[in-house]
Amino acid sequence: FHQAPLLKQFLTTAADAIAKGEPQATLRFGHESCLLPLACLMELNNAGAYGLPFDDLAQSWQNYKIFPMGCNIQWVFYKKPGSDDVIMKVLLNEEEATLPVESDIKPYYHWRDVQAYYTRRLEAFAQNQPETDVFTTGNGKKVTISHIKHGTLMIDVDGTCTIHIDPLGQALRPTDYSLFPKADIILVTHEHFDHLDPAAIAQLSHSGTKVIANKTSAAKIAGATVMRNGESTECHGISITATAAYNTTPEHKQFHKRGNGNGYLLRIDDLSIYMAGDTEPIDEMSNLGKVDVAFLPVNQPYTMTAEQCIQAARIIKPRVLFPYHYGDTDLQPVVSTLSAEGMDVRVRQLQ
């Protein structure tokens, strides 16, 4: 979707040219770094497909077929005199390409159908586009965190690994996961409806996706790996530790019982990211070690009060703190108190 603005300009330029009703050509020049993601965004010849079996990958995907020397994408339009129906075909490197659009005249397509399809795709992307923060490891890897909603996050590790945390499709605010990259790793903290969504997990999974969950959630997810509090593993070069997450307030202990749910501590090179899960301040937080980025829930009675979040942050001492899972909680005390103490507190739109 890096080329979404370019595809939008294609649509606008084509519509303007058709409205003029005169033969014309519009040319744009760019590099393969533009053309390859554009071909995937347009799903030319199924270029945007996910989940190819690893053993078949070399036969199913050859990027040199998309951007050889002199690579190009052409939109060609036709209109019969006296007809309102504009038809088109798309050429990829001078060869007819297929589009993800139904057509009764292939290899041609009705312009109205193509225009409607890509307009809907771009609008849906714009509506689902989350805020992001980028961190850099000591080895120069770019780690991009996307704040999707509630306790739902996505982490991209230098374009080589995508991690989804507690992905939710329709629950709370609907999220269209067809617009997100497939997951190499999925982490599920616990089984509550606002954290576990088997349908979203299935949609995000490909043949090599590793799903890690607490025991209760794993029982509801085909092929999931159980991780218990304190256990660690490594996947795609990333260290993953399941951390404790539970309520301590006596009248709230029924919400998240000790030993059931997980938080997760990720170590990507020298960058550590802690996602606490649904918890209150607990003794185990003292044993996390260095934490660069922390996500702490602020949503009593189920997780923390603002005061408890401040307490937990003082224990963990992250370089950057993101309150999450906050609902309608007033976060101003968290921001003002911890910012005054020198902590970088960032609030992102998660409601």
Side-chain angles (χ1 to χ4, degrees):
F1 278 93
H2 292 168
Q3 297 304 320
L6 181 56
L7 178 56
K8 184 176 181 180
Q9 189 174 57
F10 273 33
L11 294 170
T12 301
T13 301
D16 291 344
I18 291 168
K20 292 179 180 178
E22 300 174 354
Q24 58 183 296
T26 300
L27 304 178
R28 290 186 62 95
F29 296 91
H31 294 282
E32 68 276 4
S33 57
C34 298
L35 191 139
L36 180 61
L38 179 61
C40 292
L41 177 59
M42 292 178 60
E43 301 171 90
L44 300 184
N45 296 335
N46 205 31
Y50 291 106
L52 296 173
F54 184 78
D55 291 341
D56 298 335
L57 184 61
Q59 288 72 42
S60 304
W61 171 261
Q62 297 95 18
N63 54 9
Y64 62 83
K65 290 185 177 180
I66 296 179
F67 59 84
M69 185 67 70
C71 55
N72 61 88
I73 294 174
Q74 300 179 44
W75 289 18
V76 186
F77 297 87
Y78 308 85
K79 182 181 179 182
K80 289 183 179 180
S83 173
D84 292 330
D85 185 23
V86 176
I87 63 174
M88 67 174 295
K89 69 165 61 172
V90 174
L91 304 180
L92 176 60
N93 304 320
E94 289 84 46
E95 295 184 1
E96 292 173 346
T98 61
L99 302 180
V101 179
E102 293 295 325
S103 176
D104 57 353
I105 53 172
K106 287 184 178 179
Y108 298 90
Y109 296 83
H110 297 283
W111 162 239
R112 61 177 180 272
D113 297 334
V114 174
Q115 183 183 36
Y117 178 84
Y118 287 129
T119 298
R120 288 194 304 269
R121 186 164 169 80
L122 292 174
E123 288 176 348
F125 168 68
Q127 292 169 3
N128 281 273
Q129 191 170 18
E131 293 181 88
T132 61
D133 286 87
V134 181
F135 300 90
T136 304
T137 72
N139 290 334
K141 292 180 182 176
K142 297 292 185 183
V143 178
T144 303
I145 302 176
S146 297
H147 310 265
I148 298 175
K149 63 183 176 185
H150 197 57
T152 301
L153 306 168
M154 182 180 74
I155 301 175
D156 173 84
V157 182
D158 212 36
T160 63
C161 179
T162 300
I163 307 168
H164 284 271
I165 300 93
D166 285 349
L168 293 178
Q170 296 304 308
L172 305 178
R173 170 166 50 84
T175 300
D176 184 358
Y177 274 112
S178 70
L179 304 174
F180 287 78
K182 295 286 187 177
D184 299 298
I185 303 171
I186 296 176
L187 303 176
V188 179
T189 59
H190 63 292
E191 65 279 4
H192 289 171
F193 82 98
D194 55 341
H195 294 267
L196 172 61
D197 183 348
I201 291 171
Q203 185 178 13
L204 284 169
S205 296
H206 58 73
S207 59
T209 299
K210 179 81 169 180
V211 181
I212 295 172
N214 70 314
K215 182 178 179 180
T216 309
S217 297
K220 303 177 182 180
I221 309 167
T225 297
V226 176
M227 284 191 71
R228 296 173 174 82
N229 296 170
E231 294 183 339
S232 296
T233 189
E234 185 171 304
C235 188
H236 293 277
I238 298 168
S239 170
I240 304 172
T241 299
T243 61
Y246 56 92
N247 286 103
T248 56
T249 302
E251 58 269 28
H252 300 159
K253 288 185 177 182
Q254 73 275 17
F255 295 131
H256 304 97
K257 297 181 179 179
R258 185 171 188 167
N260 178 46
N262 289 338
Y264 292 99
L265 178 64
L266 308 183
R267 297 199 184 279
I268 306 168
D269 293 344
D270 60 346
L271 179 71
S272 55
I273 303 173
Y274 172 54
M275 295 153 292
D278 280 14
T279 188
E280 294 181 66
I282 53 177
D283 292 339
E284 290 87 342
M285 290 177 175
S286 300
N287 302 319
L288 293 173
K290 179 180 77 75
V291 174
D292 295 299
V293 181
F295 288 85
L296 295 179
V298 195
N299 188 23
Q300 273 275 290
Y302 306 106
T303 59
M304 302 185 198
T305 62
E307 291 72 20
Q308 285 179 311
C309 180
I310 294 169
Q311 176 190 348
R314 287 170 173 166
I315 295 171
I316 299 165
K317 298 180 175 63
R319 178 162 54 90
V320 179
L321 170 65
F322 293 102
Y324 80 148
H325 194 300
Y326 53 76
D328 296 324
T329 304
D330 179 10
L331 297 177
Q332 186 54 42
V334 176
V335 176
S336 58
T337 300
L338 294 175
S339 295
E341 296 176 8
M343 190 174 293
D344 184 353
V345 183
R346 306 180 189 180
V347 178
R348 300 295 180 251
Q349 173 55 42
L350 291 169
Q351 293 169 308

